[in-house]
């Protein structure tokens, strides 16, 4: 079976389940570190460090960039300790780089791109350096992809958890799947049809046998959307049922007990 492409809501719901004590049981920091490791490993499988020794990282808000999060502060401190420089402008950084890592926006991105990110996106559109995008190329619509062809086309895409629907517009030569944290149970529940990861690798290269054709019929697209909607509805109903049980238990333990005490 072909690999499933996720809608924005499905991707968000899976993230919530991964960090749920009754789901994946991961902490946010664990998922970030595993995702980062998988991206780094995927990059080294395509771009040799001797040929591409200088990597420029574009990091922005949201989970991709970890803006305003303790993890971000830790990364900044580590970069300073390891003497990894920060640049004043995208153009200046690109002049002294061999490879670009695009992690400005993730799958939660919506709306229009605003400054200072407009300048960064324009710099990426103008560079001839190879670009590796994390999860979804920045400024692409998560579900509709490179709308009107106005975005940049990276040479490599590392999808996390599962490819997003917008990734169907990716035409580059290297598409990898990273984030080896989905259990068989979750894979079956969401119908992801994830490929096996080789050995102890944290990433796997996706090829034609994994990827659904971009020209799939509207009927199949509607069937997938309906399937995701049904799954999300069942998850929501299950959560509501748990909340109802907790409220009833609280009522019986506190209100009723106190009334007859």
């Amino acid at each position: 079976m072909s690999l499933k492409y996720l809608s924005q809501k499905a991707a968000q719901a899976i993230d919530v389940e991964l960090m749920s004590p009754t789901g994946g049981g991961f902490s946010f920091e664990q998922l970030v570190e595993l995702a980062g490791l998988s991206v780094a490993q995927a990059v080294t499988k395509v771009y040799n460090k001797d040929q591409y020794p200088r990597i420029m990282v574009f990091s922005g808000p949201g989970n991709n960039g970890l803006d305003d999060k303790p993890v971000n502060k830790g990364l900044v401190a580590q970069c300073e300790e390891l003497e990894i420089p920060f640049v004043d402008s995208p153009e200046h950084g690109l002049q002294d780089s061999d490879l670009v890592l695009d992690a400005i926006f993730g799958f939660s991105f919506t709306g229009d791109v605003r400054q200072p990110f407009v300048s960064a996106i324009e710099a990426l559109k103008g560079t001839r350096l190879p670009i590796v995008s994390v999860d979804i190329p920045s400024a692409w619509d998560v579900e509709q992809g490179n709308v009107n062809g106005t975005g940049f086309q990276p040479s490599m895409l590392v999808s996390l958890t599962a490819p997003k629907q917008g990734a169907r517009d990716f035409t580059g030569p290297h598409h990898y799947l990273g984030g080896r944290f989905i259990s068989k149970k979750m894979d079956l529940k969401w119908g992801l049809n994830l490929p096996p990861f080789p050995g102890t690798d944290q990433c796997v290269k996706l090829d034609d046998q994994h990827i659904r054709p971009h020209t799939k019929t509207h009927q199949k697209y509607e069937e997938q959307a309906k399937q995701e909607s049904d799954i999300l509805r069942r998850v929501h109903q299950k959560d509501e049922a748990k909340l109802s049980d907790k409220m009833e238990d609280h009522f019986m333990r506190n209100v009723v007990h106190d009334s007859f005490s």
Side-chain angles (χ1 to χ4, degrees):
M1 298 179 68
S2 298
L3 184 64
K4 184 176 183 179
Y5 285 76
L6 296 177
S7 67
Q8 188 174 48
K9 287 186 177 180
Q12 291 168 341
I14 290 175
D15 252 21
V16 170
E17 186 169 344
L18 281 168
M19 290 182 282
S20 169
T22 58
F26 289 98
S27 67
F28 174 78
E29 289 78 9
Q30 285 177 316
L31 289 179
V32 167
E33 290 177 353
L34 288 171
L37 175 61
S38 68
V39 171
Q41 191 177 68
V43 169
T44 60
K45 289 184 178 296
V46 176
Y47 298 102
N48 186 287
K49 68 179 180 65
D50 295 326
Q51 188 176 357
Y52 301 91
R54 301 171 302 174
I55 301 178
M56 170 75 174
V57 179
F58 280 67
S59 179
N63 287 351
N64 263 17
L66 305 175
D67 188 41
D68 294 330
K69 292 182 172 66
V71 177
N72 176 269
K73 296 178 181 179
L75 289 175
V76 170
Q78 291 169 17
C79 287
E80 292 174 345
E81 176 66 22
L82 296 171
E83 300 182 349
I84 299 174
F86 293 86
V87 297
D88 297 326
S89 68
E91 294 78 11
H92 179 264
L94 291 171
Q95 291 176 2
D96 300 318
S97 302
D98 306 296
L99 180 68
V100 182
L101 185 67
D102 159 40
I104 302 176
F105 301 120
F107 67 78
S108 297
F109 172 77
T110 57
D112 297 325
V113 180
R114 297 184 295 274
Q115 288 291 11
F117 306 111
V118 171
S119 299
I121 297 298
E122 290 301 315
L124 288 174
K125 289 168 65 175
T127 185
R128 293 186 177 182
L129 296 175
I131 301 174
V132 180
S133 287
V134 178
D135 215 13
I136 193 78
S138 292
W140 281 26
D141 186 278
V142 179
E143 297 181 353
Q144 299 180 42
N146 190 11
V147 180
N148 300 322
T150 56
F152 63 88
Q153 183 70 238
S155 53
M156 181 176 179
L157 175 63
V158 184
S159 294
L160 298 175
T161 304
K164 311 308 176 285
Q165 290 176 356
R168 293 192 184 92
D169 277 351
F170 174 68
T171 59
H174 310 293
H175 190 178
Y176 274 76
L177 175 66
R180 193 174 181 173
F181 34 62
I182 297 292
S183 65
K184 290 292 183 183
K185 180 180 178 181
M186 287 185 66
D187 189 351
L188 291 172
K189 173 182 176 179
W190 290 93
L192 302 178
N193 304 317
L194 298 179
F197 287 77
T200 58
D201 283 358
Q202 300 299 304
C203 61
V204 57
K205 183 173 175 57
L206 301 178
D207 52 33
D208 291 341
Q209 68 175 345
H210 299 129
I211 302 173
R212 289 181 175 177
H214 180 70
T215 56
K216 72 175 189 173
T217 65
H218 179 72
Q219 181 181 2
K220 287 186 177 180
Y221 181 85
E222 289 296 323
E223 289 174 355
Q224 177 183 336
K226 183 178 182 301
Q227 185 183 48
E228 287 183 356
S229 177
D230 290 342
I231 291 173
L232 289 170
R233 178 174 51 78
R234 290 197 297 269
V235 171
H236 182 66
Q237 288 176 342
K238 186 176 180 181
D239 290 342
E240 282 189 332
K242 288 182 179 179
L243 179 61
S244 177
D245 290 343
K246 288 182 179 180
M247 292 176 65
E248 182 178 353
D249 181 67
H250 175 79
F251 179 79
M252 293 300 295
R253 288 177 176 273
N254 296 278
V255 179
V256 176
H257 180 270
D258 291 346
S259 298
F260 290 93
S261 296

